[in-house]
Amino acid sequence: MKPVLQVRDLCRNRILHNISFDLMPGELLAVMGPSGSGKSTLLYNTAGLDQADAGEVRLQDTVLTALSDDHKARLRLEKMGFVFQQMNTIPGLSLEENIVLPGIQAQGKRQKAKVKEKARRLMKELGLEGLENRQVQQVSGGQLQRACICRSLINDPVILFADEPTGALNRQAAQEVMDTLVNLNRQGMSILMVTHDSKTASRCDRILYLQDGEIKDQLYLERADADREQRVNDWLMQRGW
Ligand SMILES: Nc1ncnc2c1ncn2[C@@H]1O[C@H](COP(=O)(O)OP(=O)(O)OP(=O)(O)O)[C@@H](O)[C@H]1O
Ligand SMILES: [Mg+2]
């Protein structure tokens, strides 16, 4: 099986040093590490949102690091989904309008009806039916983050990038958002997720441990393992977490 994402010797001035890893199709991969260790920088550089100094990122058959900024932006719009802690929704627009926006951007105004239908289907799947016309400030944090996940899926990406997707949420909402991401992953979505929450990380297939901009270790988790949260906590403790 070929990786969805191949990262080789990625460097970013004094923040990231020779980062190399693969993300396999359908894998749910977490990045953990102390604050300031470079997790967000790793995510941004991997997705081409930041200009790495050296190294290569390959998304399927495309060498992302060799593309112009315009090409990268197009590829992000069409092939990548993003979910951030700060949800970056547009106030004054409804949930549905926020979700539809990148769809129209990628596919053109003439596809509006089709994009809208897709937005409604996604909202239904993610438990947001009936909230289509709510303004972003009229829903809970968990609902808003699930709307952001809908938005990230509107163009059928091949990979999702998530930076602390549950970071701004209370425990209950965090669990709902994580349930949603795990569900998507079980349907085949490849996900790279930064988190500092061991409970969240314990639901992933593998965890990379980043420290001082280097991948120091990784932990594989079995989906059937009942003790995975304990394993993650023990492993983190050994890393000096
Ligand atoms: N645009 C930038 N210019 C210069 N330095 C930066 C920039 N962005 C981040 N840094 C620095 O790079 C280092 C890594 O930052 P990064 O945000 O990737 O860490 P992080 O692991 O995501 O931390 P946190 O857990 O707090 O989100 C930090 O020392 C930070 O101050
Ligand atoms: Mg960060």
Side-chain angles (χ1 to χ4, degrees):
M1 211 169 18
K2 261 172 63 178
V4 179
L5 186 74
Q6 282 177 284
V7 179
R8 291 293 175 273
D9 294 316
L10 202 63
C11 297
R12 182 68 174 134
N13 59 3
R14 277 178 268 143
I15 304 174
L16 295 179
H17 311 286
N18 296 89
I19 298 292
S20 298
F21 67 93
D22 288 347
L23 182 77
M24 299 309 284
E27 190 176 24
L28 179 47
L29 177 61
V31 180
M32 296 192 83
S35 182
S37 58
K39 302 181 297 296
S40 296
T41 309
L42 184 154
L43 194 90
Y44 297 156
N45 278 275
T46 303
L49 282 161
D50 188 15
Q51 183 67 52
D53 305 310
E56 187 180 280
V57 176
R58 192 180 279 265
L59 181 71
Q60 295 178 319
D61 291 324
T62 308
V63 180
L64 188 64
T65 34
L67 299 179
S68 69
D69 286 348
D70 284 353
H71 268 104
K72 272 192 264 195
R74 190 78 210 166
L75 200 76
R76 277 199 300 275
L77 188 61
E78 291 175 353
K79 298 257 170 103
M80 307 179 193
F82 293 91
V83 184
F84 296 111
Q85 177 174 348
Q86 316 81 351
M87 302 176 195
N88 306 320
T89 46
I90 301 179
L93 292 187
S94 69
L95 283 199
E96 186 182 283
E97 286 164 336
N98 269 280
I99 294 166
V100 161
L101 214 53
I104 304 275
Q105 222 181 333
Q107 300 171 41
K109 276 205 180 104
R110 292 169 68 182
Q111 301 298 323
K112 188 162 182 183
K114 199 181 108 205
V115 173
K116 241 177 123 153
E117 192 192 310
K118 166 114 197 195
R120 296 209 161 198
R121 197 170 71 237
L122 285 168
M123 289 186 82
K124 193 171 170 191
E125 274 171 31
L126 270 61
L128 298 171
E129 202 176 16
L131 302 180
E132 291 83 359
N133 297 321
R134 290 270 185 98
Q135 303 279 304
V136 299
Q137 59 277 14
Q138 292 174 329
V139 296
S140 72
Q143 289 167 335
L144 191 59
Q145 189 61 301
R146 279 183 281 137
C148 291
I149 297 173
C150 291
R151 181 182 60 183
S152 78
L153 296 172
I154 196 75
N155 293 321
D156 290 318
V158 297
I159 182 170
L160 277 194
F161 292 94
D163 192 357
E164 307 274 13
T166 61
L169 304 175
N170 67 35
R171 185 177 284 267
Q172 170 70 25
Q175 171 124 17
E176 283 167 16
V177 163
M178 203 47 209
D179 286 347
T180 302
L181 290 172
V182 169
N183 257 333
L184 276 171
N185 171 255
R186 297 303 181 250
Q187 291 166 37
M189 182 61 73
S190 312
I191 303 179
L192 179 64
M193 177 174 63
V194 169
T195 180
H196 60 240
D197 178 39
S198 58
K199 193 178 175 73
T200 298
S202 71
R203 300 184 68 183
C204 296
D205 297 314
R206 182 163 59 112
I207 308 173
L208 303 178
Y209 192 79
L210 195 71
Q211 194 173 14
D212 302 328
E214 287 179 54
I215 297 175
K216 301 281 191 189
D217 200 2
Q218 60 178 330
L219 178 71
Y220 282 90
L221 293 162
E222 291 298 328
R223 290 186 182 184
D225 187 352
D227 283 339
R228 43 204 286 169
E229 200 177 338
Q230 190 58 46
R231 274 194 69 204
V232 172
N233 282 323
D234 291 348
W235 179 73
L236 287 172
M237 199 113 86
Q238 285 163 18
R239 309 268 80 71
W241 182 258

